[in-house]
Amino acid sequence: QVQLKESGGGLVQAGGSLRLSCSASERTFSNYAIAWFRHAPGKEQEFVAVISASGFSPFVATSLKDRFTISRDNGKKTVYLQMNSLRIEDSAPYFCAAGLGTTKASEYENWGQGIQVTVSS
């Protein structure tokens, strides 16, 4: 297992950018695919992006792929979610999770505590 911690969230104006980080201290971090999900109040949990353990297979949700990018640096035990052209509807707590690399939240057992992203008008 790995203990994940998100950072980089906060308040940004619409049209701005944020880069979220998902970090761990365990060397086993590089054995796991890492995914990002978000869960806005009153909405269903939403898959955002996932990247394989090696980093060679990044995948971003179709509705977000023009604005979001996922990458990883296993040497730093960190996965990044670059979010550009942010919209008010992107506001939500964002969670990273370690697992096999699917798009289904139910298939992940290791989760970070989440970090809030708020986009203002």
Side-chain angles (χ1 to χ4, degrees), residues 93-113:
Y94 284 68
F95 300 84
C96 64
L100 297 178
T102 73
T103 62
K104 298 180 180 180
S106 61
E107 297 182 359
Y108 289 83
E109 294 184 351
N110 296 294
W111 290 83
Q113 291 188 333

Side-chain angles (χ1 to χ4, degrees), residues 9-64:
L11 176 65
V12 63
Q13 285 192 325
S17 297
L18 281 176
R19 188 177 76 163
L20 302 184
S21 297
C22 175
S23 300
S25 59
E26 296 86 349
R27 285 191 292 178
T28 53
F29 177 81
S30 61
N31 294 342
Y32 294 91
I34 301 294
W36 287 95
F37 296 86
R38 65 187 185 184
H39 196 174
K43 296 183 180 181
E44 291 189 358
Q45 190 174 38
E46 180 182 9
F47 165 77
V48 174
V50 64
I51 190 165
S52 64
S54 66
F56 289 126
S57 303
F59 177 73
V60 179
T62 300
S63 63
L64 300 173

